[in-house]
Amino acid sequence: MEKNSLPFYFYEMEMNDYFTYLQIAQSIKDKNLSEKIKKIAYMEKKHASFWEEFLKNRGLEPPPVKKKNLKIGFMKILSKFFNPVLVISFFELGESGAIKNYYSFLKNENLSEEEKEKLKKIILDEIEHETFFARQVNEKGLSNIRDFVLGMNDGLVEILGAVAGLSAVYLYNPLIVGVSGLIVGVAGALSMGIGAYISVRSQRQVNQAQKEQMEIIFDVAPERAVEEYKKRLIESGVVKEIAEDITKKIGKSKEAISKLLLQETEENEIKSGLFTGFAYLVGVFFPVVPYFFAPNSYIALPFSILFAGTVLTLVAVIISVLSGINVKKKILEMVVSAFTAAGIAYLFGSIMQSIFGIQI
């Protein structure tokens, strides 16, 4: 995008966001959430007004912006079935990009001091919007979706590599490839699930041991706990003088000090293990299933890659939405890495076939 066209793009983007947020807010039944999104909508309109004024001050006329009624209508329909925050996050992927573009524009463009201050305020607003949606995602438990798709991605990528390698060996027996991939996938799911179970359980046991130790320290030497608290504050970046001041104000408050020194683990280890294992197993399904229907591995492998690529693209979009990462870069990163792994595995399988003379 040309530098001179950026203000026009910024103006159109902010106006589109204003129309979108306002329309979605009006369709949300939750009054509190609706008002918060309306507030964001009006802030976007204020940002658009800045760019409109920016253009006019340079003798340029802002372009007319029409509502994207089709997009807004589709988002309204989806909002009836899915959480509106997730729907908005899915379609409005530009917040992180806007922040970077605005910051670059602030540093490189010749702006007046007043314009610089206004643009700084807009950047802070956009960061606030991004933080709001991220907080909503966590509060409403939508971050579990990210955990699920990450687990599913592990299963998908690993088994895609496995069946690609086996395809080179068992060219005319796709059923062996499918069954082998399924066995490896089930073993991987059990391993991931047990690993998650042990990890959460171990963390809980460590926390319990630390809690018991802290109880003893508070009983026999409370000043030791206070010193440890001050040390943790300094290590986290707090200036020493401020850390000392905070420590003095808190004194020997057992509750306040324990909150910083002890990491709470509310996650259930059984639930975590089952959730992780199941997510991995779902990922196994997509690259394996073609081998149970295709007459040979030559036909099964392209379909396996196609299914895996489609799901990886969807997974990348979901991760991008919930993490604020650029969606195009994430799709490219995940698909290329998975297909590279599959290609190397296939090459390795071909080498093994040549060395050992396997013909099945």
Side-chain angles (χ1 to χ4, degrees), residues 23-39:
Q23 290 290 315
I24 296 298
Q26 290 170 350
S27 66
I28 295 175
K29 293 180 180 179
D30 184 334
K31 296 288 184 183
N32 185 40
L33 181 59
S34 177
E35 287 302 314
K36 286 179 179 178
I37 294 178
K38 277 183 184 177
K39 183 181 177 183

Side-chain angles (χ1 to χ4, degrees), residues 172-217:
Y172 303 105
N173 201 331
L175 188 60
I176 290 182
V177 178
V179 172
S180 300
L182 197 58
I183 292 170
V184 173
V186 170
L190 289 170
S191 176
M192 292 287 287
I194 292 169
Y197 171 84
I198 292 173
S199 176
V200 174
R201 185 171 178 79
S202 298
Q203 186 61 56
R204 188 187 299 280
Q205 290 170 337
V206 168
N207 290 349
Q208 182 60 35
Q210 288 181 340
K211 187 175 182 181
E212 291 171 359
Q213 188 180 61
M214 191 60 64
E215 292 283 347
I216 295 171
I217 292 174

Side-chain angles (χ1 to χ4, degrees), residues 147-167:
D147 296 336
F148 182 85
V149 296
L150 285 170
M152 185 177 73
N153 177 70
D154 288 342
L156 193 152
V157 173
E158 288 176 24
I159 301 306
L160 176 62
V163 297
L166 289 168
S167 293

Side-chain angles (χ1 to χ4, degrees), residues 192-246:
M192 292 287 287
I194 292 169
Y197 171 84
I198 292 173
S199 176
V200 174
R201 185 171 178 79
S202 298
Q203 186 61 56
R204 188 187 299 280
Q205 290 170 337
V206 168
N207 290 349
Q208 182 60 35
Q210 288 181 340
K211 187 175 182 181
E212 291 171 359
Q213 188 180 61
M214 191 60 64
E215 292 283 347
I216 295 171
I217 292 174
F218 270 115
D219 187 46
V220 300
E223 64 280 356
R224 170 85 176 273
V226 173
E227 281 301 312
E228 184 64 25
Y229 179 82
K230 183 173 72 174
K231 181 183 174 184
R232 291 285 183 91
L233 285 174
I234 294 170
E235 287 175 352
S236 66
V238 177
V239 177
K240 184 179 179 180
E241 290 74 16
I242 297 175
E244 289 175 348
D245 188 48
I246 292 172

Side-chain angles (χ1 to χ4, degrees), residues 53-252:
E53 182 183 354
F54 179 92
L55 290 167
K56 287 183 175 178
N57 286 343
R58 286 155 177 78
L60 302 170
E61 189 62 31
V65 181
K66 294 182 179 179
K67 291 182 185 178
K68 295 182 178 179
N69 291 321
L70 185 62
K71 174 186 172 183
I72 293 171
F74 186 49
M75 290 177 69
K76 281 184 177 181
I77 293 171
L78 288 177
S79 296
K80 295 182 183 296
F81 300 97
F82 302 99
N83 189 287
V85 173
L86 187 59
V87 174
I88 292 173
S89 296
F90 184 84
F91 281 90
E92 300 303 310
L93 296 170
E95 293 294 338
S96 294
I99 293 167
K100 292 175 183 176
N101 286 332
Y102 285 168
Y103 183 72
S104 176
F105 197 84
L106 174 68
K107 290 297 181 182
N108 300 317
E109 185 67 14
N110 185 22
L111 306 174
S112 67
E113 286 303 316
E114 184 182 359
E115 287 173 336
K116 285 182 180 179
E117 291 305 314
K118 286 182 179 180
L119 187 51
K120 287 178 184 178
K121 177 66 170 61
I122 289 174
I123 291 171
L124 291 175
D125 286 344
E126 296 294 350
I127 292 173
E128 184 182 329
H129 298 172
E130 189 176 299
T131 304
F132 166 76
F133 286 116
R135 193 184 303 120
Q136 287 291 314
V137 163
N138 287 324
E139 286 178 1
K140 297 182 184 300
L142 298 175
S143 57
N144 289 336
I145 298 173
R146 179 174 55 207
D147 296 336
F148 182 85
V149 296
L150 285 170
M152 185 177 73
N153 177 70
D154 288 342
L156 193 152
V157 173
E158 288 176 24
I159 301 306
L160 176 62
V163 297
L166 289 168
S167 293
V169 179
Y170 301 105
L171 296 171
Y172 303 105
N173 201 331
L175 188 60
I176 290 182
V177 178
V179 172
S180 300
L182 197 58
I183 292 170
V184 173
V186 170
L190 289 170
S191 176
M192 292 287 287
I194 292 169
Y197 171 84
I198 292 173
S199 176
V200 174
R201 185 171 178 79
S202 298
Q203 186 61 56
R204 188 187 299 280
Q205 290 170 337
V206 168
N207 290 349
Q208 182 60 35
Q210 288 181 340
K211 187 175 182 181
E212 291 171 359
Q213 188 180 61
M214 191 60 64
E215 292 283 347
I216 295 171
I217 292 174
F218 270 115
D219 187 46
V220 300
E223 64 280 356
R224 170 85 176 273
V226 173
E227 281 301 312
E228 184 64 25
Y229 179 82
K230 183 173 72 174
K231 181 183 174 184
R232 291 285 183 91
L233 285 174
I234 294 170
E235 287 175 352
S236 66
V238 177
V239 177
K240 184 179 179 180
E241 290 74 16
I242 297 175
E244 289 175 348
D245 188 48
I246 292 172
T247 305
K248 286 178 184 177
K249 288 180 180 179
I250 290 177
K252 297 177 183 179

